[in-house]
Amino acid sequence: MQAGSQAMTLSERADALEEHMMHELEHIVTKSVLFNLADGKVEMEGGAALMAKNPGKYMLMGADPRLPKMPDKPTLIDYFRCRFASTAHLLQSATHALKAGHSEKVVLACLLHDVAVVSFIRCDHGYWGAQMIEPYVDEEVSWAVRAHQALRFFPDEAAGYAYPDLYVKYFGPDYQPEPYIVDEYKRARIHRHYMTARLICVNDIYSFDPNAKVNLDDFVDTIGRNFKQPKEGLGLDNSPSAHMWRTMLWPTRFL
Ligand SMILES: [Fe+2]
Ligand SMILES: [Fe+2]
């Protein structure tokens, strides 16, 4: 027998640790299929199996105690502070737009352009991000957030936007966007809010300057004036995208 074949592999150890941590919790925390797909597994654990593995416990049907506690009526600012995995890129883009003297709508669009990436999902982040904010912002802002995803792949030298060197580095020199992105670009090019989406691209800065001072406090007023915070709390209202915010609020609820 080969040495080490009886020992746990690293991923088995990680699974065992995760299992152990789950048992420490008062409730049964469940992973949705999407979380497993991200680990390369088309899998889900059924309710009966979970109950059998966790005798005497109920399914989690509320807040996950491992995550930062959110207030009863959360605001967009609370999501920035407690649910967004990274805010530097958003704040730097918005700061750049602010310093360039752009309108509040452009500044807000920059502040929220990658909201889906930092809180939810990367794939088709422009579409997800636009849907998340659509009920709460001016149509110009959400439209621009949706379109920036496609426009990022197409230069507009007149507007001061070249194809990003970083994309060559990330995706290789031969990468070609899929036809649905090309079509989205063509539609966006002739849309009345084209320039708002293009300005997101122009201010979409990847290299974080360690000396640049960025602070969410600088945008609290802009958010207050341009983001319709629901009185019930963001995600606890009945807007068409409230469920998306609720999912971020309670990502491991059983149902
Ligand atoms: Fe983006
Ligand atoms: Fe970005």
Side-chain angles (χ1 to χ4, degrees):
M1 197 175 275
Q2 271 189 330
S5 65
Q6 280 177 313
M8 279 181 165
T9 65
L10 212 58
S11 88
E12 278 167 356
R13 282 219 303 272
D15 285 349
L17 181 69
E18 194 183 299
E19 186 108 1
H20 173 77
M21 279 167 65
M22 229 179 86
H23 285 292
E24 300 283 286
L25 296 167
E26 216 173 299
H27 289 90
I28 305 171
V29 169
T30 44
K31 266 188 171 180
S32 291
V33 173
L34 190 63
F35 306 163
N36 289 326
L37 290 178
D39 286 332
K41 298 183 279 192
V42 188
E43 274 176 19
M44 64 179 281
E45 237 177 335
L50 281 167
M51 292 299 279
K53 264 168 60 182
N54 297 274
K57 285 187 191 176
Y58 292 120
M59 300 292 185
L60 181 70
M61 285 300 281
D64 189 327
R66 301 168 303 173
L67 292 172
K69 193 173 169 8
M70 290 283 275
D72 292 340
K73 293 180 180 178
T75 63
L76 179 63
I77 304 282
D78 293 318
Y79 283 92
F80 259 88
R81 297 199 198 285
C82 300
R83 284 295 183 274
F84 293 4
S86 171
T87 56
H89 172 63
L90 294 179
L91 292 174
Q92 199 173 38
S93 295
T95 302
H96 206 256
L98 191 66
K99 283 189 181 153
H102 293 303
S103 71
E104 269 206 321
K105 279 179 198 165
V106 169
V107 171
L108 186 71
C110 290
L111 183 68
L112 297 174
H113 77 282
D114 285 339
V115 64
V117 171
V118 300
S119 66
F120 205 57
I121 194 161
R122 282 186 174 278
C123 175
D124 269 335
H125 74 287
Y127 298 84
W128 285 108
Q131 260 188 313
M132 285 163 68
I133 62 173
E134 214 144 42
Y136 312 106
V137 299
D138 191 278
E139 179 246 338
E140 179 179 342
V141 175
S142 54
W143 184 88
V145 168
R146 183 178 284 105
H148 96 275
Q149 181 186 330
L151 291 193
R152 287 288 267 136
F153 292 101
F154 300 89
D156 182 345
E157 307 283 353
Y161 182 78
Y163 185 81
D165 292 338
L166 200 81
Y167 277 14
V168 179
K169 205 169 148 190
Y170 277 4
F171 311 128
D174 301 328
Y175 177 75
Q176 292 291 335
E178 292 85 348
Y180 81 96
I181 292 288
V182 178
D183 290 346
E184 191 75 79
Y185 165 69
K186 286 181 189 159
R187 286 192 297 269
R189 200 75 186 79
I190 52 169
H191 194 278
R192 69 188 187 284
H193 295 320
Y194 168 74
M195 209 29 92
T196 309
R198 186 49 88 187
L199 284 172
I200 293 180
C201 304
V202 171
N203 291 283
D204 202 345
I205 298 162
Y206 277 116
S207 53
F208 185 72
D209 174 3
N211 299 315
K213 292 224 181 337
V214 290
N215 195 331
L216 182 58
D217 293 340
D218 295 343
F219 301 100
V220 169
D221 289 346
T222 301
I223 291 171
R225 281 189 293 268
N226 297 279
F227 190 92
K228 294 179 210 90
Q229 168 64 37
K231 60 181 187 322
E232 305 90 334
L234 183 53
L236 304 173
D237 52 319
N238 70 345
S239 86
S241 68
H243 61 288
M244 294 170 74
W245 295 94
R246 278 199 299 276
T247 298
M248 280 184 271
L249 202 54
W250 305 315
T252 52
R253 267 176 70 131
F254 186 67
L255 292 176

